[in-house]
Each structure stands twice: as C-alpha cells, then as structure tokens.
Amino acid sequence: MRLALNRLSEKGEWNLAELKIEFEELIVTNAPIEISGFSLEQIDQIILGDGADATDPAILAHLTDGGESSARLVLTDEPYNVPIAGNVTSGAHREFLMASGEMSAAAFFAFNSD
C-alpha cells in the first residue's frame, strides 16, 4: 500500500530512502517486487544508489594500490544472455539488469570481454 501511494503521487517528490527500505523488505520476504509499478532497472537504481562504478579505471587503480597490486575475478555463474523466465529450474527469480536476453551476440561478447 505504501509503495502504491508513493508511486501514484504525481506532484510529490520521491523519498528514495523510504523506497529503498520498502524494496529491501520485499526482497528479504521474497515478495514479487515487479508488481510495485517500478521497472527492475529503477528498483536496482533505488537500492544500489549512485555508488562508484566498478569499471572506472581510477577506482580500480585506487583499489589496487595504483596498479601495483593485482586483482583476480572468478566467475562461477556468469550470465548467459538468456531470460531468467523459462530457464531457471526452481523458484521465482527476477530478470538480471543486463545480459538477460536483450543483447546481440556482438554486444554480449563485448560485455563479457569488459
């Protein structure tokens, strides 16, 4: 109810801190957040905020002592560029923000290469 009232208020301002709390509670209880009227991209933006980009070279240099240290990445469940709906074996899962079937083969290759 609170989400619907917040969403329907056309002349009001968004209270992102309160929306974040509501979405986090819905996620913890496995409630279907898609029915809130927000897109998954909007929900991710509200929950994650405007944090630093993990692909920003300046941030990576800072995290690796100016490039003196190295970092390793192990992908144990990389994206396959297919929709979650119809491909996940159990439970209700929301779609990924990226690489969920919307990318061309070339775009998906570039996504994985980056």
Side-chain angles (χ1 to χ4, degrees):
M1 179 68 153
R2 288 182 283 191
L3 287 173
L5 290 174
N6 199 341
R7 181 68 175 166
L8 294 174
S9 177
E10 294 180 14
K11 295 185 180 191
E13 292 185 19
W14 297 106
N15 186 329
L16 298 179
E18 287 186 19
L19 279 174
K20 179 179 179 179
I21 292 169
E22 295 298 330
F23 283 127
E24 287 172 343
E25 287 179 12
L26 290 172
I27 290 168
V28 166
T29 61
N30 277 336
I33 60 174
E34 297 84 9
I35 65 170
S36 66
F38 290 85
S39 71
L40 295 177
E41 292 83 7
Q42 290 172 320
I43 294 169
D44 283 345
Q45 185 63 41
I46 291 167
I47 292 173
L48 300 174
D50 291 325
D53 188 357
T55 61
D56 184 334
I59 292 171
L60 292 174
H62 175 74
L63 292 173
T64 58
D65 296 324
E68 297 297 318
S69 299
S70 63
R72 294 187 317 163
L73 172 66
V74 176
L75 298 175
T76 60
D77 190 14
E78 69 273 2
Y80 294 98
N81 198 31
V82 295
I84 297 299
N87 291 302
V88 175
T89 57
S90 65
H93 300 278
R94 63 187 182 111
E95 296 293 335
F96 293 116
L97 181 60
M98 297 179 70
S100 193
E102 81 287 355
M103 293 182 178
S104 68
F108 186 60
F109 180 79
F111 172 78
N112 280 327
S113 295
D114 287 347

